[in-house]
Amino acid sequence: MSTAHKKSDAYQHASGGWGSVKAVAGALIQEQAPVETSRVLMHQNKPDGFMCVSCSWAKPAHPHRFEFCESGAKATAWDTTSRRVDPKFFRQHTLAELEQWHDQALENAGRLCAPMRWDAELDQYVEVSWEHAFGEIGRELQAMKPDEAVFYTSGRASLETAYMYQLFARMYGTNNLPDSSNMCHESTSVGLTEAIGVGVGTITLDDFKHTDLMFFFGQNVGTNSPRMLHDLQEARERGVPIITFNPIREPGLVSFVNPQSPRQMLTPGATQISTQYHQLKAGGDSAAIVGICKAVIEADDHAQATGAARILDVDFIAQHTQGFDDFANYVRNTGWDEIESRCALPRVALTAAADEYMRAKAVIIHYGMGLTQHRMGVQNVRMIVNLLLLRGNIGKPGSGPSPIRGHSNVQGQRTVGVTEKPELAPLDKLADQYHFMPPRTQGMATVDACQGVIDGKVRAVFQLGGNLVRSVPDRYVIEPSWRKLRLTVNIATKLNRSHLVHGEVSYLLPCLSRIEIDERLGKPQAVSMEDSTGCMHGSHGVTQPASDRLLSEQAIVAGIAKATLESSSVDWDAWSNDYALVRDAIAETYPDIFHDFNARIWEPGGFHRPLPARERKWKTKSGKAEFLVPQTLDEDPDMPERRPGDLRLFTLRSDSQFNTTIYTHDDRFRGVYGSRMVLLMNQQDIERHGLAADSEVSLEAVSPDSVKRQVDGFRIIPFDLPVGCVAGYYPECNPLIPLSHHAKESKVPAAKAVPVRIVAAQAA
Ligand SMILES: Nc1nc2c(c(=O)[nH]1)N[C@H]1C(S)=C(S)[C@@H](COP(=O)(O)OP(=O)(O)OC[C@H]3O[C@@H](n4cnc5c(=O)[nH]c(N)nc54)[C@H](O)[C@@H]3O)O[C@H]1N2
Ligand SMILES: Nc1nc2c(c(=O)[nH]1)N[C@H]1C(S)=C(S)[C@@H](COP(=O)(O)OP(=O)(O)OC[C@H]3O[C@@H](n4cnc5c(=O)[nH]c(N)nc54)[C@H](O)[C@@H]3O)O[C@H]1N2
Ligand SMILES: [Mo]
């Protein structure tokens, strides 16, 4: 029996405020490192310190005294814990035993300390030397075909490590370089590249000062990028309206109390964040945006007919875009009935949003996983661009698309070549610079890699960070296949499920956290990363390493590369002893972005990468910014069969987790305490299914194949969300997502609209 309970109807307070101060203190105490961690926090996101290991939000040139948020402080506490998972720990616990532990207990056991190899006879991880680990991994790789190995990276590793990692994989002979963006913002990388010729957002922090309207589509700022609340608050204080589209009223998007502003903490007034809040149906974003565009285009048609001032930026559209007429005709011909039923919002709500849009001179649209993790995720991104283009809202101050990235360097890893798509990597340049023949065949994205594991085509999986057996869909299908792998290598800071579900030969290689001092040959090293706004920042550690047997990620990648490649023109030892040399190499490969890298790495606020779309230069096929006519407003046109009681599940993060890392079982903002095995459900749906608050239910996926996907033991919590939608937590719900249920063009798992039905229920 689960012990979930829900206090009151919803979190009654603004996000931030005393609640968040208490949560930070709680995290520090739980990790038993309060004094040290509070010292460390003063260096977080400062030019003289380290870049937060949590989200990728921009780091200002003039940081606040406390330039960290509740989530970032928790992530820091989590890494600087005094607990240790050392060789003794592994002598005490077999893997069979550890498999019985909860995910949270695994990570909570502390920091990994020494390189370990799985011993089949003992069923334990046993300490080995680094040389032994590199040697055997190298021999294993040499005995495989390069395309049988997959080199995943979660978005945490630095630019230097990511560059070395992709170069090593390509020298070895494969483009199998999936990363976490394959489950995240790949819909952005594909959609924005097609539409405006760059795969990243075009705004910078400075644009917040010039904008006069912001939208939020499916991004939960209070939990996932809380430092951004400062920027939002400042904009709100200037009177900038914020319009939010989200099936749930997220407290961080409703109001905010700045826990670092004594004035706000002492006086009750919170800043209202959203001025309009539209609770649309999950998967209804394309329809909602088409509705807003329809109101704008109809108003412009009217203006044209009556000789009034035009609403559209006609000069911009004529000079800079293509495809407007087709889109406008599509919009005119799409009925309000269809729009309303697809997004479950009334026309008045959409015209209210359109009215604000038409009044504003410069508009930013922020968005996140609520938009990208859908079967039509790429189309959703294109609809954002369509809306912006109508009034020239790209490439002028205070405007542009703002995809809010996840992991702290996920965007940067792509920038320096971690990609399964050979066309996105500078292969000719690499060939020239390093005198080898980079592979030209398409590599595997994350879902392809999983399919490859299931089919037995993939024999080795490397994870540079990450916890794939938990973060990918279809866990019950994936896990048994994962155990058939020949080789699993995990480079990690903490123990997680993916280290237990392992191959025949399995290595667990512990690395330094970015927060730790990294000295090579007596010289402190720095690393760098790219934030959500395309700025590059240096970072150096400030705490003593968790163990003297740790190596940096750079040194580990170099060690594996040296042991695997018979010859290469790279001096891996030199690179792993001086990261400045790696930065020189990056600058040589990407001179436009990284020229004078070492000289610019400490620029306050970071140095910007050039973004042609910001200057209205469109690196698209047509040389213009492209409108797209949507294919369909149905969130999943390929769904085989739907029954009346079927529900649409979207998976959520709480404020007490970082992806698969679960800090506690509470979700303070949504008022859910004690268990994550809950299903948030509309009261009407609860009654329609003959359920009540606290009923226990099982969910089954409405699968496109014959595989049965079921998760038991969810407790119903009545919640304010649209009829027909239910919400549960990621990663607990992942067994319900079929691997094939992903965005068509970007392959991002459609975790925000999973068709499910209730199959078994027990009254409370
Ligand atoms: N503390 C903390 N910070 C994090 C993370 C973390 O786990 N914890 N993860 C990091 C990572 S890797 C990422 S990618 C980001 C993720 O950050 P977000 O992009 O914010 O992702 P989610 O929290 O998954 O979902 C965002 C919102 O989408 C809404 N939503 C669901 N379905 C729909 C829909 O169909 N339409 C719309 N409009 N909204 C919808 C949900 O209600 C939720 O509020 O955060 C990063 N930062
Ligand atoms: N249903 C559902 N599924 C989802 C999502 C969703 O919203 N819903 N979101 C998706 C998204 S956006 C993402 S990004 C993925 C994330 O998926 P992953 O990248 O697979 O998972 P993480 O939980 O970020 O990885 C956590 C592990 O990284 C390791 N780690 C932490 N810090 C470091 C470090 O500094 N170096 C190294 N080498 N290792 C480190 C630790 O061992 C930790 O256990 O999940 C995706 N899956
Ligand atoms: Mo992510």
Side-chain angles (χ1 to χ4, degrees):
M1 286 276 284
S2 101
T3 53
H5 67 279
K6 185 169 175 346
K7 251 198 212 166
S8 69
D9 267 342
Y11 190 66
Q12 297 297 345
H13 316 283
S15 62
W18 292 116
S20 108
V21 173
K22 260 174 27 199
V24 170
L28 301 187
I29 290 160
Q30 195 191 339
E31 292 309 317
Q32 305 170 354
V35 180
E36 173 63 358
T37 309
S38 13
R39 176 188 74 81
V40 174
L41 285 171
M42 297 306 291
H43 295 280
Q44 192 149 322
N45 298 320
K46 299 277 177 62
D48 66 338
F50 66 96
M51 293 300 133
C52 182
V53 296
S54 189
C55 84
S56 57
W57 183 241
K59 282 85 185 164
H62 305 290
H64 301 83
R65 189 164 132 74
F66 307 101
E67 188 58 45
F68 60 87
C69 66
E70 174 182 345
S71 301
K74 280 185 200 161
T76 299
W78 196 249
D79 271 14
T80 52
T81 178
S82 53
R83 298 193 190 99
R84 295 290 177 266
V85 172
D86 51 16
K88 190 169 139 227
F89 170 94
F90 286 111
R91 281 197 294 277
Q92 288 165 346
H93 306 288
T94 62
L95 265 52
E97 185 208 328
L98 290 172
E99 281 199 44
Q100 306 309 312
W101 290 25
H102 190 277
D103 287 346
Q104 199 233 4
L106 292 176
E107 281 217 32
N108 207 13
R111 287 286 302 279
L112 296 163
C113 292
M116 312 295 290
R117 181 190 192 280
W118 178 64
D119 181 301
E121 242 164 69
L122 299 172
D123 186 32
Q124 283 174 349
Y125 273 113
V126 176
E127 185 176 3
V128 290
S129 69
W130 282 105
E131 290 64 37
H132 180 98
F134 296 150
E136 187 177 13
I137 292 167
R139 285 190 299 280
E140 286 289 329
L141 284 177
Q142 284 164 358
M144 276 178 209
K145 296 194 194 89
D147 282 338
E148 290 175 334
V150 165
F151 298 89
Y152 175 80
T153 164
S154 192
R156 277 222 186 165
S158 61
L159 290 168
E160 292 80 355
T161 307
Y163 179 82
M164 291 168 70
Y165 195 61
Q166 61 83 32
L167 184 61
F168 157 59
R170 296 201 160 98
M171 287 181 160
Y172 170 59
T174 184
N175 283 312
N176 286 343
L177 283 156
D179 80 348
S180 63
S181 59
N182 287 145
M183 298 185 267
C184 187
H185 266 296
E186 191 62 20
S187 302
T188 294
S189 312
V190 174
L192 289 187
T193 304
E194 286 168 356
I196 60 170
V198 291
V200 299
T202 65
I203 70 146
T204 67
L205 270 185
D206 204 45
D207 287 309
F208 276 78
K209 299 195 186 92
H210 303 286
T211 191
D212 46 23
L213 171 65
M214 290 190 258
F215 282 90
F216 267 89
F217 282 90
Q219 204 275 340
N220 187 12
V221 58
T223 296
N224 297 327
S225 47
R227 282 184 306 108
M228 187 182 177
L229 285 168
H230 297 296
D231 306 304
L232 296 180
Q233 192 185 20
E234 279 164 25
R236 285 292 300 122
E237 280 165 5
R238 281 199 298 116
V240 174
I242 295 180
I243 304 179
T244 294
F245 286 82
N246 193 312
I248 289 182
R249 286 182 70 79
E250 302 283 20
L253 286 160
V254 174
S255 59
F256 174 57
V257 171
N258 189 341
Q260 299 177 358
S261 148
R263 181 176 59 83
Q264 278 223 355
M265 291 291 280
L266 294 175
T267 50
T271 306
Q272 178 199 19
I273 297 289
S274 298
T275 48
Q276 286 184 25
Y277 208 113
H278 302 296
Q279 289 180 261
L280 85 174
K281 190 152 81 178
D285 299 85
S286 275
I289 299 170
V290 164
I292 301 172
C293 292
K294 184 172 172 73
V296 174
I297 288 172
E298 285 180 352
D300 185 72
D301 287 345
H302 182 73
Q304 225 177 334
T306 56
R310 294 291 296 270
I311 309 276
L312 300 177
D313 187 338
V314 272
D315 294 340
F316 174 83
I317 291 174
Q319 193 189 335
H320 288 286
T321 72
Q322 104 142 17
F324 169 74
D325 290 336
D326 289 344
F327 176 65
N329 286 334
Y330 164 86
V331 163
R332 290 186 189 105
N333 294 331
T334 305
W336 280 108
D337 286 353
E338 178 176 11
I339 293 171
E340 287 182 328
S341 75
R342 294 285 184 201
C343 62
L345 291 174
R347 177 176 175 172
V348 287
L350 299 172
T351 50
D355 287 343
E356 284 286 19
Y357 181 72
M358 291 187 275
R359 271 195 292 274
K361 293 201 176 66
V363 179
I364 293 175
I365 303 187
H366 305 287
Y367 67 89
M369 298 301 100
L371 206 87
T372 59
Q373 293 179 333
H374 282 289
R375 292 275 290 153
M376 305 305 293
V378 174
Q379 176 181 293
N380 286 342
V381 171
R382 299 290 304 263
M383 291 305 113
I384 298 268
V385 174
N386 282 354
L387 177 57
L388 289 168
L389 293 180
L390 290 181
R391 285 175 49 81
N393 277 310
I394 302 184
K396 77 178 166 197
S399 72
S402 163
I404 300 175
R405 298 279 167 165
H407 272 291
S408 49
N409 193 34
V410 63
Q411 183 164 317
Q413 296 192 342
R414 285 299 212 210
T415 304
V416 295
V418 170
T419 172
E420 72 286 0
K421 296 175 183 161
E423 66 277 16
L424 296 185
L427 297 184
D428 292 337
K429 179 75 210 177
L430 292 177
D432 207 38
Q433 198 172 337
Y434 298 106
H435 319 294
F436 77 115
M437 299 264 283
R440 303 273 166 176
T441 47
Q442 198 69 32
M444 293 178 181
T446 302
V447 296
D448 303 325
C450 291
Q451 193 59 52
V453 174
I454 294 170
D455 298 341
K457 288 189 184 133
V458 168
R459 297 182 61 221
V461 176
F462 283 68
Q463 292 193 56
L464 177 59
N467 184 7
L468 285 176
V469 302
R470 276 293 183 265
S471 57
V472 300
D474 246 344
R475 186 172 123 206
Y476 298 151
V477 183
I478 295 290
E479 281 199 16
S481 318
W482 218 262
R483 294 179 200 276
K484 295 187 191 137
L485 285 165
R486 168 66 189 170
L487 175 68
T488 46
V489 177
N490 291 284
I491 302 166
T493 47
K494 289 227 175 164
L495 188 61
N496 69 38
R497 186 68 47 183
S498 298
H499 309 157
L500 308 180
V501 181
H502 59 83
E504 219 176 317
V505 176
S506 177
Y507 277 94
L508 186 44
L509 307 179
C511 62
L512 289 171
S513 152
R514 190 189 304 150
I515 302 171
E516 288 162 337
I517 296 166
D518 182 359
E519 269 188 6
R520 304 288 298 172
L521 305 180
K523 216 177 122 199
Q525 301 293 319
V527 293
S528 56
M529 49 233 51
E530 175 176 348
D531 70 28
S532 245
T533 60
C535 291
M536 314 294 166
H537 305 264
S539 170
H540 54 67
V542 295
T543 63
Q544 287 309 315
S547 147
D548 58 10
R549 303 227 41 214
L550 301 182
L551 283 186
S552 66
E553 293 175 325
Q554 287 83 340
I556 296 173
V557 172
I560 296 174
K562 242 181 90 176
T564 307
L565 306 172
E566 268 164 21
S567 65
S568 88
S569 60
V570 174
D571 185 343
W572 295 99
D573 286 332
W575 278 14
S576 71
N577 287 326
D578 184 357
Y579 310 160
L581 296 176
V582 186
R583 287 188 285 278
D584 285 340
I586 295 175
E588 191 180 336
T589 309
Y590 302 95
D592 291 351
I593 303 177
F594 290 105
H595 64 89
D596 305 309
F597 196 177
N598 279 307
R600 294 194 295 159
I601 180 173
W602 300 112
E603 241 170 62
F607 66 85
H608 288 261
R609 60 186 274 177
L611 284 172
R614 267 182 80 78
E615 278 118 55
R616 298 194 164 172
K617 292 184 189 131
W618 317 102
K619 305 278 178 196
T620 58
K621 279 198 194 117
S622 63
K624 305 236 169 169
E626 306 213 5
F627 279 96
L628 178 81
V629 175
Q631 255 175 45
T632 171
L633 299 184
D634 184 343
E635 110 287 356
D636 187 358
D638 304 322
M639 226 13 252
E641 161 221 15
R642 275 180 249 214
R643 292 195 210 145
D646 288 357
L647 297 160
R648 208 178 273 188
L649 168 75
F650 57 97
T651 55
L652 294 172
R653 293 168 158 77
S654 78
D655 70 308
S656 276
Q657 77 184 88
F658 192 91
N659 297 340
T660 65
T661 297
I662 312 297
Y663 303 127
T664 75
H665 295 265
D666 297 337
D667 183 348
R668 186 164 50 88
F669 289 146
R670 302 195 187 97
V672 179
Y673 294 90
S675 169
R676 296 167 50 88
M677 285 303 293
V678 297
L679 198 62
L680 312 184
M681 202 167 178
N682 181 293
Q683 187 61 37
Q684 232 173 295
D685 283 323
I686 295 179
E687 286 164 22
R688 193 157 57 109
H689 283 86
L691 303 168
D694 274 349
S695 299
E696 200 173 301
V697 299
S698 301
L699 278 187
E700 191 192 322
V702 181
S703 295
D705 52 28
S706 57
V707 177
K708 187 174 163 68
R709 299 177 173 87
Q710 181 173 329
V711 177
D712 303 325
F714 289 105
R715 194 158 282 275
I716 297 288
I717 290 187
F719 211 83
D720 176 17
L721 42 65
V723 173
C725 292
V726 285
Y729 289 107
Y730 147 60
E732 287 79 353
C733 290
N734 284 34
L736 293 166
I737 311 175
L739 193 58
S740 61
H741 185 68
H742 55 249
K744 290 177 172 177
E745 304 91 338
S746 65
K747 301 188 179 172
V748 171
K752 296 293 189 268
V754 185
V756 292
R757 58 181 64 126
I758 288 172
V759 284
Q762 243 179 337

